[in-house]
Amino acid sequence: MNTPSHAIINLAILAKPQLPQANLAIVIGGVLPDIPIFIFYFWAKFIVRLPEAKIWSEAYYQPLIQNLVATFHSIPLAIILLLISYYFGWEIMQVFCISLVFHSLGDLPVHNNDAHRHFFPFSNYRFISPISYWDPKHYGNIVALIEILLVLLATLWIFPSINSAIGKILIVLVNIFYCSSYIYFYSRRKKEEGRRKREEVKKEKSGVV
């Protein structure tokens, strides 16, 4: 699931009118697990200047990066922190921890070959889902559309309760970006597939194998 989706959907699920001060904690908990990935990408792309293909095929799978990503996506570690927060009565921290857990639960069913180790460090098990939130080979076009619709519904639900003008603008921009990106990416993919098919037909007619 895309990072902004976690924040918006988590807000729709966890936000309470009687506890508006927890909204920031929900947003941070919704996006924090992916922050190490963004930092890694910035380092690999702009500091080390690795090629895009090498970033995601080699560098990303180095043990240090994988363990760091697994730590931030760990459901058991988030639950342990939740129990500690409950024991000390840290209400905002509890909401933050629940948002962390919800992030990982949202990722579980939509990651295929890029699945995280959500039970690290107690287990290295990865749930390889048959569907992906981005990969067309694993129904990414359908899952991406469902994600967009969920984010739109969540936006409609929480929008009236958001007091920050900046917050409202950001959420609207996320929805616009999602819709435009979906249309661009998959329309472009269809054009490329159509072009390849036409080229294959031309080769067959010309007798070229």
Side-chain angles (χ1 to χ4, degrees):
M1 188 179 291
N2 291 289
T3 305
S5 301
H6 289 290
I8 295 173
I9 293 174
N10 283 10
L11 270 174
I13 297 172
L14 299 174
K16 297 179 180 179
Q18 62 270 29
L19 196 64
Q21 63 269 32
N23 288 352
L24 181 59
I26 295 171
V27 171
I28 294 174
V31 302
L32 183 62
D34 287 342
I35 295 302
I37 300 175
F38 288 114
I39 294 174
F40 154 75
Y41 180 77
F42 179 84
W43 169 82
K45 182 72 174 180
F46 300 104
I47 297 178
V48 184
R49 298 184 181 277
L50 294 176
E52 195 78 21
K54 192 171 184 179
I55 290 175
W56 300 114
S57 64
E58 296 181 24
Y60 179 67
Y61 290 98
Q62 294 300 310
L64 175 62
I65 304 301
Q66 284 294 293
N67 287 341
L68 187 62
V69 172
T71 298
F72 276 74
H73 282 85
S74 173
I75 294 175
L77 291 181
I79 291 176
I80 290 172
L81 186 57
L82 172 62
L83 293 175
I84 294 173
S85 302
Y86 178 79
Y87 177 80
F88 287 102
W90 299 335
E91 192 171 8
I92 303 298
M93 182 61 73
Q94 292 174 47
V95 176
F96 166 77
C97 294
I98 294 172
S99 189
L100 287 176
V101 173
F102 276 24
H103 177 112
S104 293
L105 292 178
D107 275 348
L108 264 174
V110 293
H111 279 257
N112 182 263
N113 56 4
D114 54 355
H116 302 302
R117 289 175 292 165
H118 287 292
F119 305 98
F120 182 85
F122 306 102
S123 172
N124 287 319
Y125 172 75
R126 299 176 191 262
F127 174 67
I128 308 299
S129 175
I131 63 175
S132 168
Y133 75 101
W134 67 270
D135 191 349
K137 296 177 182 177
H138 300 284
Y139 311 101
N141 55 331
I142 299 174
V143 177
L145 180 59
I146 293 173
E147 180 179 339
I148 290 173
L149 293 175
L150 286 175
V151 170
L152 179 59
L153 290 173
T155 298
L156 294 174
W157 177 260
I158 64 173
F159 198 79
S161 62
I162 297 176
N163 297 321
S164 168
I166 295 176
K168 287 186 175 182
I169 292 172
L170 287 175
I171 290 177
V172 170
L173 289 177
V174 167
N175 280 270
I176 293 173
F177 175 76
Y178 276 3
C179 293
S180 58
S181 297
Y182 182 88
I183 293 171
Y184 172 78
F185 179 79
Y186 288 105
S187 62
R188 183 180 178 183
R189 181 178 174 81
K190 285 183 178 180
K191 288 180 181 178
E192 290 178 353
E193 289 177 351
R195 179 179 56 80
R196 284 197 298 267
K197 287 181 180 178
R198 288 193 296 270
E199 289 177 354
E200 289 173 0
V201 170
K202 288 181 180 178
K203 288 181 180 180
E204 289 177 357
K205 287 182 178 180
S206 62
V208 179
V209 180

